[in-house]
Amino acid sequence: MLFVIALALTTYEIFSVNELRDSIQRANTSTLSLLLAEHATYRLGGSPLVIDGRLRVQISGREGTVVDAAGLSRAFIVAGGGSLELRSLSVIRGVANASDTDGGGGCVVVRPDSALRATDVLFSECAAVTNQERGWMAAAGHTMARNALADFNIRGGADGGGTDAQGGAIASHGGTIWLEGCTLRNASALDGGAIFVWGGSLLIEHSRFLDSSAAREAGCIAILEGAAADVRNATLRGCSAGGDGGGIFAADGAQMVLADSFVEECTAEGSGGALALDGAFVEVHRSELRACMALESGGGVWAFSGMVSASDLRLQGCGAEEDGGGMYLLHASARLLRTNIEGCAAGRSGDGDGDGGGLAVHGGTLTASEVRVVRCSSVRDGGGMHIGSGALVVLTASLVQECQVYLVRGRGSAVFVDRAGALELANSSILRCHSKLSGTAYVEGNLTLSQGSELAECEGRDLGTSGMTEESRRGGVLWVRHGGRARLLRSSVRDNSVFDLSATETSFAVASVDVGGSLEVFHSVFENNSITSVNQGASGAAAVYVHRGASLLAVGMQLGLACGAPLSRLPAIAADSAAPPAPLPAVGFSDGALLLPSTSLRPPPSVRLLALRARNAPGCERSADVLEGLILGAHVSPPTCGANPRTCSPLASCADEEAIVARPRTNLEYFAELFSGSHGVSDLTTPTCACLPPFTPATGAPETDLAAYLPEYGCTVPAFVDTISVLDDKSAAESPDFTPSPSSVPNIVLELTKTSRNENTSRSLLLHVGGTQEAALKWRVSSASVPRWLQVSPTSGVLSTVEERRAHFLTVSVGSAGMREELEPLLATLNVTVEVGGVRETVLLPIYTIIATTATAATSMWGLPGRDGRCVPRREAERSPLAVTVGQMREVEFTSCDFEAIEVAHPVPSLRTERSTAYSPRRFRVVMVDGDAGDAHDVPFEYEERGIYAAGVAPSRTGDFTLHLYLDDDPCGCEPDSLQKGRSPDALSTTPCATLAVRAVCPEGLVGTADRGCGCPVGFEARGATCVPHLTLLLILCAACSVGLLLLLGLCVCARRSVHHRRLALAAAARERRAQLRRVRAAINDASSLRFPFCVMPFRSFAAFGRLVPFEEARSESALVFCDTWDNAASFAASHPLVFLSHQWLSYASPTRTTPTLSTWCARWRRSPPSGASRRTSATSGSTCTRSRRATRRPRRWRSARSRSSPQPRPTLWRARPRRSTSTRASSAAATHT
């Protein structure tokens, strides 16, 4: 990244050279800015200005400012990491001689790690010379000295006095140069007339290089030793070099970009009039090279080795006196895009040299697209392009037009392909290129026209100069000879003409295949081609002529027959006779021996016409016989399927089809031909080949359908999976003598043996591909078909059946870790999908896995394994003694397990595999130890299934016993630490070894005896083999039974009486419930009716009396309110809060003996009325009724508790009913306060 830092500098104005020199020498800052005077000349007087160290000097001029070295020294030296910037001034007449350190750079020399930047600067009349030429320049002037320098170096080379006179204006040795808007003119040097760059970097923008010269390389710019150069918007004109590179010379790994530039009228006495590249890497974009000239090769561009990339490049009017008028590539790699080569020429008049007028390639490769080679010419071979030996050129969408050769014997006016060279034209054209004798396209190497390419509107002329030599009597527009091969693939050869003006017998054609040459025509068109000969005995052809020793293979060739007598005299396809020709007269002697033409020993021509189609020109009426004569010559006949079974490729079908495509005829024309005896039906047929299913075309053919015609390709049998075999030794797969064993197909067996450690095994599988089809085979293993215990790697891949018909395609492996032994082999069927040539098939691959395990004493145990087959012994807390009845046998199971504590599936010893047999223990042993007596004896056992045994335990006496299990005399259950660590704490055994406690007991009904036997219990005596009770005991039992019967009878009597009394109590309770129900119903009826009138007194009237008054007095005062019905009373109570007061009169005249009763009631009412009364509640004598509001609700009927609906809350009913007394004054008063 470039950072531009703008510094605020003080600029000093300089008026004299001494002041300028002193300012630079006395500069004590890192940056110095100087401004020179206007129209002033600063003469250095033989001593250059030196910018050394880390000093950065900026020198700016004005109009007419000149720094003049006067031919005595350089103008500037930039060294030691210094930096010089020049602006708007002229630097002239600088001279550097070879004796200077780092010679070169007449005006400026830039040494390592230093930099020069020049903007709008003129460098003029600068030179890098030797000491001798330096004196000449001072005495005779610059121009004469420059010429003397050139003459001296050209004549004497490096002996002229030095080898470092490089860079006439500027020389850089590992430094940096940046020129912007500069002009360099009239500069000269040994190398690099204007600029010489050795390493470092060079940037040129909007600059001009005029009339500079170099005695050796690089008339303007020399870039060497890995230097990097970027030249943009530059103009190079009138530069010249005594060696290579009239404009620019880049070599030794240099890298250069030339963009938007113009190189004109530059010359080189060596190679590369504009550009000479020697091992450099160059890019050229949007530039033009015009009127440049080289005395050797490469008038525009010469490149040796290295790489050239160009786009939008134009080479116009360039020339070379040897090869490559426009561009010459020698063992270089080049890529061109949208490049125009116009009006370029190679060769010098009167000289026999000069090949490739537009482009010459010798060795290396050239890939180009949209290239136009127009109006180019050469003196000898390849007027447009010359493809030399070892070169490969591929052109796409390109054009070669109006090119020519000057010599009569010049070959290939458009294209010349030398031996071992190759040219491929795709979607390209060769148009209007005319040759005098030796063809428009001359091929001794390989030429391919494909993808719609065309060879059209070209002419071949004999000019009447044919002689006795064989070459002078043949040729055409396309001439293939001397081992060359031309291939036309979906291309066209049209509108071409050949003029045979020789009086001798000739055999010219539009396409002539000479001795050793071959022409392949695939689905291409020859139409409107003609040949005109003044010799009536000419044996040429209008399309293709095949000479002896040559071959023609035409598949799907289409012929368009021209119309008119002058153009239809010769057939379209002709060939030499198969019989050897008569010897020709001798043409000379060599060492006394007679020289004869070689044709007498050449083989007959080879012509294969397949799927040939010929069309008559519109408007030409010809019979079938005439048409056949215009298609094939006398010595050419197509093969037929019946005559030659090998006409088509192997496995291809063959069918003869009519070669002439006739136009549709009317019924009138048909009957006219029928009556005249000529049906117009031609007997000329050609075979048509095809690869019919199930066969497929082989790969590699130019086109797919051509495989059926070409024997080297042919039809193939579709590839399929033949066999899959097991390969234990992978190296054997690479042996060509390896043959799969039939026993290994179709099953794959993996065998594992678990002893004291796990085992892994794998098998490499070879896939054998049948058929002859050369196509990639894709395969994939379905993941759903792979069990968890089987590893398959890889699960998919691609096999190239082109190179090999068998290959190692996958590996299956399995490990015994955690695996459980099974009686039958584990079967896994892999589902392998194979796809080849668009056909998919499924291959089922069975894989059997056999696991043989050996039992170990450490993990074998008493009891049965778990559901997962794991051998986990019971915890100590769960190990209660096993009860066994004396005299009876009980089976006790134990399990044999492998070292991973997994049950085995076989009895010991294991005889499944040789290895398991060798490592397997031989037998189990069960020992029962008497806990009291201490003696022991073996217990018999039998094998049941899957490693489970049953031991028959039958103790002969009572007591505690211990069962011990041994495997080959090793106690079982003594687990090693490695197994203990892998289990949970609950599953660990707390005993050192696995034992089983057994307790022997007597049978039911017997008791143990002192001798650990079994006898009768107390109260019984033995009579024979049974126990019977004693007589005394029998009597006691009878008495006990009688007492028990009496007690039972008494209990029955008591129970009967108890039941009777209970029944009476239940009946009384029922009667009581019925009486209660009747009372409740009467109470409900009383609550909903009035037996006495309901009367109340307002509280204000009650308080107004000031005392308690009798009922009669209150009635007479109309202070009472009467409600005669229940509904009236309820309605009144709903809107008037009521208080029920009850008081008994204590005297006849007054209710109380003391009068404060009424006032006390009223005061209590005013002080704290009842809750909810809002100063309108009622009080009673003795207490306040808190349920007075419920009294206002309408009474509701009671519901039974057995009702299905939820019961309603029981209503609270208040009735104001007067109490009966002997006095009418005894009444009840109800007061309401409104």
Side-chain angles (χ1 to χ4, degrees), residues 93-130:
R93 295 198 299 175
V95 175
N97 57 50
S99 63
D100 295 332
T101 304
D102 292 334
C107 287
V108 183
V109 61
V110 181
R111 293 176 180 170
D113 301 324
S114 301
L116 167 66
R117 179 176 181 180
T119 304
D120 298 328
V121 177
L122 170 64
F123 296 92
S124 178
E125 299 183 4
C126 300
V129 299
T130 62

Side-chain angles (χ1 to χ4, degrees), residues 267-291:
T267 60
E269 296 186 14
S271 299
L275 303 179
L277 313 174
D278 187 353
F281 302 89
V282 177
E283 296 182 16
V284 182
H285 306 292
R286 301 177 303 278
S287 298
E288 182 176 351
L289 312 180
R290 180 186 298 174

Side-chain angles (χ1 to χ4, degrees), residues 12 201 221 269 274 283 341 403 418 470 479 530 698 831 937 1228:
Y12 301 94
S201 61
I221 303 173
E269 296 186 14
E283 296 182 16
I341 304 176
C403 297
D418 205 350
E470 184 179 358
W479 195 1
S530 63
N831 191 335
H937 66 277
S1228 298

